[in-house]
Amino acid sequence: MASDPSTARCPGCALRLGLAAPHCAACLGTPWAFARTIAAFDYAPPADTLIRQLKTQLRLSAAPVLARLLAQAVWRQGATPPDMLLIPVPSSRASLRRRGMNPAAEIARGLAAQLALPLTCRALGRRRDTARQTALGRQARLRGAAGVFYGRQDLSGRHVGLVDDVMTTGSTAQAAARALLAAGAASVTVLVAARTPQVL
Ligand SMILES: [Zn+2]
């Protein structure tokens, strides 16, 4: 895999740290709603192929492989709440129509089996489709993602593992984590298969 386990990741957002710093600059400046982020690998060759197989080529067989890599990252980094409830980031309606499935939910299903953790795909709702995220800058993405998600069930006292395929700026995870906390979640840990190596 592309990951070099000797290089530390930022505990807040899983960005790879080039220097011996405890956090990346972005996390020091902007505290996230989620407590930490665990990523299996960088969104870079060759491991990013697995993500493209799942998201672009719609090869569902890539999901359990990604789930296994993510489970290994969770085991390696340890200290996740024992009864963590896994919740995938819901797809936009347009993505669901295009793909016929939610890649995050497919990974979450495999992860729940690997880690023997409960899973629900109904706890988070998604209000409306946002403009294509890649066309926007970091601040615009943070604004655009805010308020997109809402809680659909009481999560009082639950520690949540928020599952997604890729984390880019963190704006989607931030908006989803805010909604989970508003629904009563005690904490949110972001679990992503891939992390883009730099904040765009
Ligand atoms: Zn960070």
Side-chain angles (χ1 to χ4, degrees):
M1 289 293 129
S3 305
D4 172 9
S6 67
T7 314
R9 289 183 185 277
C10 171
C13 71
L15 190 70
R16 207 164 274 287
L17 298 168
L19 302 166
H23 285 84
C24 77
C27 282
L28 282 175
T30 322
W32 300 106
F34 44 86
R36 63 188 292 212
T37 301
I38 295 175
F41 53 82
D42 283 332
Y43 191 55
D48 59 341
T49 306
L50 281 167
I51 299 280
R52 279 198 305 276
Q53 283 177 350
L54 179 61
K55 294 184 76 172
T56 313
Q57 300 166 29
L58 309 181
R59 228 185 281 171
L60 281 174
S61 57
V65 182
L66 289 164
R68 197 160 59 242
L69 291 170
L70 184 48
Q72 284 163 359
V74 171
W75 285 321
R76 253 197 328 268
Q77 294 176 49
T80 48
D83 58 345
M84 192 163 63
L85 176 63
L86 299 183
I87 298 176
V89 172
S91 277
S92 68
R93 224 171 280 177
S95 301
L96 261 185
R97 260 200 309 271
R98 198 167 62 242
R99 297 196 179 103
M101 55 101 176
N102 174 6
E106 296 301 324
I107 294 169
R109 221 186 311 280
L111 191 64
Q114 290 276 326
L115 299 176
L117 288 174
L119 163 77
T120 174
C121 296
R122 299 279 307 157
L124 263 186
R126 186 163 185 148
R127 268 196 194 95
R128 56 188 156 74
D129 293 348
T130 47
R132 292 283 298 175
Q133 296 271 305
T134 44
L136 304 170
R138 176 177 155 86
Q139 287 308 315
R141 287 195 213 193
L142 287 168
R143 279 197 306 275
V148 172
F149 301 102
Y150 60 96
R152 298 165 92 173
Q153 68 185 61
D154 181 17
L155 296 169
S156 291
R158 297 305 302 261
H159 293 281
V160 172
L162 177 67
V163 182
D164 208 354
D165 41 41
V166 182
M167 181 194 265
T168 304
T169 59
S171 57
T172 298
Q174 173 73 348
R178 279 214 186 109
L180 292 167
L181 293 177
S187 75
V188 179
T189 301
V190 179
L191 306 168
V192 289
R195 174 68 163 103
T196 50
Q198 286 179 331
V199 174
L200 302 175

